[in-house]
Amino acid sequence: MKSIYIVEDEPIIARTIKTALEEEGYTICGIANNGKEALYDIDDLQPDLVLLDITLKGTVDGITVAEKLQKKSKIPYVFLTSLTDSETTERVKLTRPAGFISKPFTIASLRNNIEIALFKLNANVTGESETTVDDDSLFIKNKSEFIKLSKADILFFEASDFYCYAHTLERKILISRTLKYVEANFNDSSFLRVHRSYIINLKKIDALFDGYLTINKKTIPVSKSNKEKLLNSLSLL
């Protein structure tokens, strides 16, 4: 279970973040409302990730905290801020944060930024890719665990901005990678990209129409550029 340290000087926001992340399964190992206290705590607690407000009371702001962490620690940090001016942006760039979230933010954007930051750290440390495969199963990294899926249970992959989802009959699982990445790293002849937003399991097709197909009552478009490849992959009478 991954631990997160919160540096936020607005108590309501800090409590909101703490509650939301605990519901997502993360451990909040500490909260500070100023930079000096945060640096002492982070050095002692060694969290997996720091959520760092840029504007803090006192002489040590969030960017200063980040600069010190960058010099002495490999702990990733994600900035939280309502500041979007060019001077702040340039200072932020120099610290190379794992993420940047503008206030007001949604719980979804908070969760996604944290998942991506932690994945990047894990990939850098272990050299693991987000998905690993054996002959019959696919392992998808989700937060601090690898979720095992039987390939036969996957109906299709669906793109969602910079991420994608693996759909089964029971659920959909977030993959913190693009569909293009999945296509390049998931080699299985039973799966075919039929549209810029979809990779399907050919064995799960229920019906095929002109311009689209259906899987478990889900209508999936088929682009003209992929139509011939799809037809050649199916047994047609």
Side-chain angles (χ1 to χ4, degrees):
M1 188 177 295
K2 297 296 184 180
S3 61
I4 296 176
Y5 190 91
I6 301 170
V7 187
E8 170 59 65
D9 62 359
E10 295 186 40
I12 294 177
I13 294 178
R15 287 196 298 271
T16 299
I17 293 172
K18 179 178 184 296
T19 299
L21 294 183
E22 286 178 339
E23 289 177 355
E24 293 289 331
Y26 293 105
T27 296
I28 305 304
C29 63
I31 299 176
N33 62 7
N34 65 85
K36 288 184 178 180
E37 179 185 347
L39 286 170
Y40 284 121
D41 280 355
I42 292 168
D43 186 54
D44 181 48
L45 297 170
Q46 290 294 300
D48 294 300
L49 181 137
V50 176
L51 283 177
L52 187 55
D53 187 14
I54 288 180
T55 307
L56 298 171
K57 296 174 183 177
T59 57
V60 181
D61 66 4
I63 296 180
T64 303
V65 172
E67 290 169 345
K68 292 183 180 299
L69 289 178
Q70 187 183 37
K71 292 178 181 178
K72 62 184 297 188
S73 171
K74 291 185 178 180
I75 299 172
Y77 43 88
V78 173
F79 280 125
L80 300 168
T81 184
S82 57
L83 301 176
T84 56
D85 60 278
S86 58
E87 181 180 350
T88 300
T89 301
E90 288 305 312
R91 288 186 67 200
V92 165
K93 285 180 182 178
L94 293 175
T95 68
R96 299 183 179 180
F100 185 94
I101 305 174
S102 297
K103 296 179 181 178
F105 54 83
T106 65
I107 298 303
S109 67
L110 182 67
R111 180 185 63 244
N112 289 338
N113 271 275
I114 289 172
E115 288 185 8
I116 291 171
L118 290 173
F119 167 73
K120 287 179 179 177
L121 175 68
N122 185 70
N124 288 337
V125 171
T126 68
E128 293 173 317
S129 63
E130 184 173 4
T131 58
T132 59
V133 236
D134 62 23
D135 289 340
D136 302 309
S137 301
L138 171 69
F139 291 84
I140 297 175
K141 191 172 189 310
N142 184 281
K143 298 179 184 176
S144 59
E145 64 177 344
F146 280 91
I147 298 173
K148 182 177 181 179
L149 285 179
S150 168
K151 292 182 183 179
D153 290 338
I154 300 172
L155 303 178
F156 57 89
F157 296 95
E158 180 181 18
S160 178
D161 295 325
F162 298 107
Y163 320 108
C164 66
Y165 290 93
H167 289 255
T168 70
L169 284 173
E170 294 79 22
R171 57 179 173 167
K172 67 176 184 178
I173 300 171
L174 175 70
I175 304 174
S176 300
R177 287 288 192 175
T178 64
L179 194 67
K180 184 177 181 180
Y181 176 90
V182 172
E183 181 182 26
N185 290 273
F186 182 51
N187 298 314
D188 190 301
S189 60
S190 295
F191 289 81
L192 180 70
R193 188 162 189 168
V194 296
H195 185 269
R196 67 175 181 272
S197 297
Y198 293 94
I199 295 174
I200 65 161
N201 186 339
L202 295 167
K203 297 177 181 179
K204 300 297 183 180
I205 297 174
D206 295 317
L208 182 62
F209 302 88
D210 186 20
Y212 68 97
L213 55 83
T214 59
I215 295 178
N216 191 39
K217 298 181 180 180
K218 166 74 173 180
T219 298
I220 296 174
V222 177
S223 63
K224 292 181 180 179
S225 59
N226 290 298
K227 181 179 179 180
E228 184 176 352
K229 187 182 295 184
L230 172 62
L231 294 177
N232 290 336
S233 300
L234 301 174
S235 296
L236 303 174
L237 294 178

